[in-house]
Amino acid sequence: MSPAPALQKVAIVGAGGRVGGEFAKALLKTGNHTVTAITRAGSKSSLPDGIQTIEVNYDDEESIVAACKGQQFLAITLGVTAPPDLHGKIVKAAVSAGVKYIMPNVYGYDPENINLTSGNSYSAMSAGRLKEVTSAGGTYIALTCGFWYEWSLGLGMYGIDIANKTVVLMDDGKTKICTSTFPQCGRAFAALLSLPESGASPCLADWKNKPVYMNSFLVSQRDMLDSVNRANGTKDEDWTITHEGSEQRHKDAMEKMKTGDRRAFATAMYSRMFFQNGDGDYTSRGLANEVLGLPKENLDEATKVVVKMVDKGYSLATVGMGS
């Protein structure tokens, strides 16, 4: 059987956001795809040059179906404030429209790690989103990239508050996890969609209803703090450093979530990744970095980008996550 060519028509929900924007820019750069942004009617989001746009009413399934007609691949990138039922609506409409592959809004945890999917609200939600695709009769390809490095370090989610020079090291601070930069995610997405759909490996069909595991770095909090020190010209003595057990921090955050504490969800989500059992390191699953031709990135260069973001005021308030 001759190989099927690479998919040509790709749609992205959330192309005006950080990761969706990286997806769009990287794919457009190949020059081999028609890339369409599916956006809410009246949205003022800035979109990459060269992308097509279709406005939809997300409360009207037929509107979403119409936007997805003719698309071969749909990537869903939703913000944290998106309505909880929106993902399922988009999936159902995409399957009805005949979209062959859906990349669900599942980019952080390893969706095949039962330790995670059975015991945490975020990972359970991620597993549920995969099931939304298969239950609707669709096919998913998940991009498992760990948490985004710039977002997580810049907003203090990794326990390092650059602006206030405070650090909470979980356990001994040496548990390594996978994390990825926004550009690396974009490169992975474009490389994946540039593969033949089927035929000899590597091809897109290799990852039918599977995760594509990739990363930028396998690092610990200690590694990240050392990198920030190099970028800032600081030393440990310049920081207020405390320690917490990752499991206790997770337990406490889960309790706080019951009171409606918005920040507690993020604390629980991130502290769970740093459990010392290694759940945050999925490299043993087999990374696709080499297959996709992804470059080896420099940690300090990525950290310098984050430090500049923080210097310019990047914070929970500026990304709409303030209390």
Side-chain angles (χ1 to χ4, degrees), residues 291-313:
V291 171
L292 297 177
L294 302 183
K296 183 174 177 57
E297 294 172 288
N298 183 286
L299 178 63
D300 286 356
E301 290 302 316
T303 301
K304 287 176 184 177
V305 171
V306 180
V307 169
K308 288 180 181 178
M309 289 166 58
V310 173
D311 286 344
K312 291 179 180 179

Side-chain angles (χ1 to χ4, degrees), residues 113-160:
N113 184 337
I114 194 168
N115 290 335
L116 294 171
T117 57
S118 63
N120 179 278
S121 57
Y122 175 79
S123 51
M125 177 183 69
S126 299
R129 286 177 171 174
L130 299 182
K131 190 173 182 180
E132 283 179 344
V133 179
T134 54
S135 295
T139 298
Y140 71 78
I141 295 178
L143 185 68
T144 299
C145 57
F147 294 130
W148 297 308
Y149 187 66
E150 302 94 330
W151 171 283
S152 304
L153 181 59
L155 297 181
M157 300 297 185
Y158 280 152
I160 302 171

Side-chain angles (χ1 to χ4, degrees), residues 217-271:
F217 313 113
L218 178 65
V219 288
S220 67
Q221 288 181 288
R222 183 68 255 179
D223 296 329
M224 289 185 269
L225 179 56
D226 288 343
S227 184
V228 173
N229 277 335
R230 290 191 291 269
N232 261 341
T234 52
K235 305 183 294 295
D236 278 9
E237 291 77 9
D238 300 315
W239 299 77
T240 299
I241 301 176
T242 58
H243 289 259
E244 288 185 25
S246 56
E247 294 192 29
Q248 187 63 49
R249 184 176 170 88
H250 178 264
K251 181 180 178 181
D252 292 345
M254 293 293 284
E255 285 299 314
K256 288 180 181 179
M257 282 175 60
K258 297 176 183 178
T259 69
D261 187 332
R262 294 176 61 191
R263 288 292 303 276
F265 176 77
T267 301
M269 182 170 65
Y270 277 83
S271 57

Side-chain angles (χ1 to χ4, degrees), residues 162-176:
I162 296 173
N164 295 304
K165 288 190 170 58
T166 62
V167 183
V168 178
L169 291 178
M170 283 170 264
D171 304 310
D172 61 3
K174 296 180 180 179
T175 298
K176 292 184 182 290

Side-chain angles (χ1 to χ4, degrees), residues 10-174:
V10 181
I12 301 173
V13 172
R18 284 301 304 265
V19 71
E22 292 289 348
F23 284 178
K25 287 185 290 184
L27 200 59
L28 287 164
K29 191 175 180 179
T30 70
N32 297 323
H33 309 269
T34 299
V35 186
T36 300
I38 296 178
T39 67
R40 186 182 299 278
S43 172
K44 304 299 182 183
S45 296
S46 178
L47 296 171
D49 291 337
I51 197 168
Q52 299 185 6
T53 306
I54 299 178
E55 293 189 344
V56 302
N57 175 2
Y58 283 122
D59 293 322
D60 179 2
E61 183 178 341
E62 287 306 311
S63 175
I64 310 174
V65 171
C68 292
K69 284 285 187 182
Q71 302 296 335
Q72 297 170 297
F73 192 102
L74 173 67
I76 304 174
T77 65
L78 296 172
V80 294
T81 59
D85 63 340
L86 181 55
H87 189 272
K89 286 182 180 179
I90 296 171
V91 165
K92 183 179 178 182
V95 173
S96 296
V99 178
K100 297 182 73 173
Y101 301 92
I102 297 170
M103 181 169 283
N105 200 62
V106 179
Y107 300 100
Y109 282 18
D110 175 3
E112 294 195 342
N113 184 337
I114 194 168
N115 290 335
L116 294 171
T117 57
S118 63
N120 179 278
S121 57
Y122 175 79
S123 51
M125 177 183 69
S126 299
R129 286 177 171 174
L130 299 182
K131 190 173 182 180
E132 283 179 344
V133 179
T134 54
S135 295
T139 298
Y140 71 78
I141 295 178
L143 185 68
T144 299
C145 57
F147 294 130
W148 297 308
Y149 187 66
E150 302 94 330
W151 171 283
S152 304
L153 181 59
L155 297 181
M157 300 297 185
Y158 280 152
I160 302 171
D161 185 337
I162 296 173
N164 295 304
K165 288 190 170 58
T166 62
V167 183
V168 178
L169 291 178
M170 283 170 264
D171 304 310
D172 61 3
K174 296 180 180 179

Side-chain angles (χ1 to χ4, degrees), residues 277-292:
N277 64 1
D279 282 338
D281 173 10
Y282 50 73
T283 54
S284 62
R285 302 282 192 187
L287 297 180
N289 289 37
E290 185 174 346
V291 171
L292 297 177

